[in-house]
Amino acid sequence: MNSTSTTQAPPLPTLPKLLAGQKALVTGANSGIGKAVALAFAKAGADVAINYVAGDDAAQEVVEAAKAEGVKAAAYKADVADEGQVEDMFKQAIAAFGTLDILVSNAGLQRDAAIESMTLDQWHKVLSVNLTGQFLCARAAIREFKRRGVRPEISRAAGKIICMSSVHQTIPWAGHVNYASSKGGIMQLMESLAQECAPDRIRINSIAPGAIRTPINTTAWDTPEAYDKLMQLVPYGRIGEPEDIGHVAVWLASDHTDYIVGSTIFVDGGMTLYPGFSTNG
Ligand code: NAD
């Protein structure tokens, strides 16, 4: 197959209104995967709270695009690693939307370095945004889900949380020990919370993306050479688009997946199939 950095997959099918009447908060939603999740949720009929930390204009663009789908949308500026800002954001979003049914904890970043030059700041920054941020947002969402309980006319569950993890929750990643550790931590955070909260009818799961075309990993796909090298890791032969994750998030937040609890859905074109072994290792 002739692959280049401009290869685009054909459009995905139109989303049905699987989330009609539900209210969702998506963190890191003014870029990449978070933006695609927020817009897919809007297309599926959910009102969306758009969290972001920097980039007011980009956040406002997502709000307008979501509103164009006929739902309510608003932007909330907050650092997910800051307890006070997270608490304020949930308070404001719950006041504006009435309640919340879905949290997608997506905000994340990388600060890459070889171990001997990785600073403690780089370590703390990645762990605090990627892992502590997920703890703070999950805690605030679960408090609201438990307070309100199940509304059977809206959803079978009292609430749903989707943690944005990564294939690096299981694949080690040299030169990125802070990022891989944060994603491994998300796996245990998600599974332990899922076990704790399932009796309250709160469903907590993860999506683990492989290589998705976003600003976080531009150098991995923005030249034909980089793209072809990346494809050696992707049996399906194309990079993932943010919409690939958005559509899975809609499905995982909907009652179609009501019996999925504590699972990680890998959305990676086969990256976790150890493609290096396809010619027998
Ligand atoms: P991105 O850089 O386009 O988006 C990251 C988002 O997180 C941005 O909106 C950014 O503003 C936000 N953010 C960063 N720090 C924040 C903070 N302190 N508070 C609130 N928001 C903050 O990258 P992306 O690829 O869309 O990444 C989204 C998530 O997907 C991340 O958790 C990332 O680890 C994960 N992921 C991405 C890939 C990929 O290939 N793109 C693969 C696996 C996992």
Side-chain angles (χ1 to χ4, degrees):
M1 187 182 298
N2 185 17
S3 52
T4 74
S5 57
T6 53
T7 304
Q8 289 279 353
L12 288 166
T14 304
L15 277 166
K17 302 280 179 198
L18 293 180
L19 304 178
Q22 303 203 41
K23 288 125 192 354
L25 189 151
V26 183
T27 67
N30 66 345
S31 175
I33 290 172
K35 175 180 175 178
V37 169
L39 294 179
F41 277 17
K43 286 186 206 302
D47 295 335
V48 276
I50 311 292
N51 161 255
Y52 70 107
V53 72
D56 298 340
D57 292 348
Q60 211 43 49
E61 273 172 34
V62 181
V63 168
E64 295 312 321
K67 282 182 176 168
E69 300 294 337
V71 299
K72 281 193 204 156
Y76 296 92
K77 188 171 191 166
D79 178 350
V80 295
D82 183 301
E83 184 175 26
Q85 291 183 34
V86 168
E87 289 297 310
D88 283 351
M89 170 173 72
F90 273 83
K91 218 176 282 171
Q92 288 172 33
I94 289 164
F97 287 77
T99 187
L100 287 172
D101 305 283
I102 304 162
L103 163 68
V104 180
S105 244
N106 163 80
L109 44 72
Q110 291 179 212
R111 294 287 183 270
D112 308 329
I115 185 61
E116 64 273 23
S117 53
M118 185 175 286
T119 64
L120 186 58
D121 276 354
Q122 288 173 317
W123 172 265
H124 279 318
K125 181 71 182 172
V126 171
L127 269 292
S128 65
V129 173
N130 294 14
L131 185 57
T132 306
Q134 295 240 5
F135 157 71
L136 291 171
C137 291
R139 188 180 65 177
I142 288 163
R143 284 175 177 155
E144 172 62 11
F145 298 159
K146 283 195 178 186
R147 181 200 64 76
R148 196 208 53 240
V150 178
R151 292 179 297 161
E153 70 284 9
I154 295 294
S155 175
R156 288 178 162 204
K160 282 88 54 162
I161 296 177
I162 297 172
C163 303
M164 203 57 70
S165 185
S166 164
V167 290
H168 295 297
Q169 74 171 36
T170 51
I171 301 178
W173 204 12
H176 307 73
V177 293
N178 47 2
Y179 184 81
S181 301
S182 74
K183 296 300 183 179
I186 287 171
M187 183 176 69
Q188 278 299 333
L189 174 75
M190 180 280 284
E191 292 184 10
S192 301
L193 280 180
Q195 192 189 63
E196 184 171 335
C197 299
D200 296 298
R201 285 288 164 88
I202 297 169
R203 290 197 301 116
I204 306 178
N205 294 288
S206 287
I207 293 175
I212 310 297
R213 194 195 306 267
T214 76
I216 210 173
N217 58 2
T218 311
T219 54
W221 51 261
D222 72 342
T223 64
E225 296 73 30
Y227 188 88
D228 287 344
K229 186 160 174 248
L230 180 65
M231 284 311 103
Q232 292 171 14
L233 301 176
V234 186
Y236 203 54
R238 72 165 173 87
I239 194 169
E241 304 296 342
E243 293 71 26
D244 285 309
I245 306 298
H247 282 229
V248 173
V250 167
W251 170 74
L252 193 53
S254 78
D255 280 359
H256 285 270
T257 56
D258 188 52
Y259 211 51
I260 298 186
V261 175
S263 291
T264 297
I265 310 293
F266 286 84
V267 187
D268 66 355
M271 191 179 250
T272 35
L273 297 174
Y274 295 94
F277 282 82
S278 62
T279 50
N280 227 0

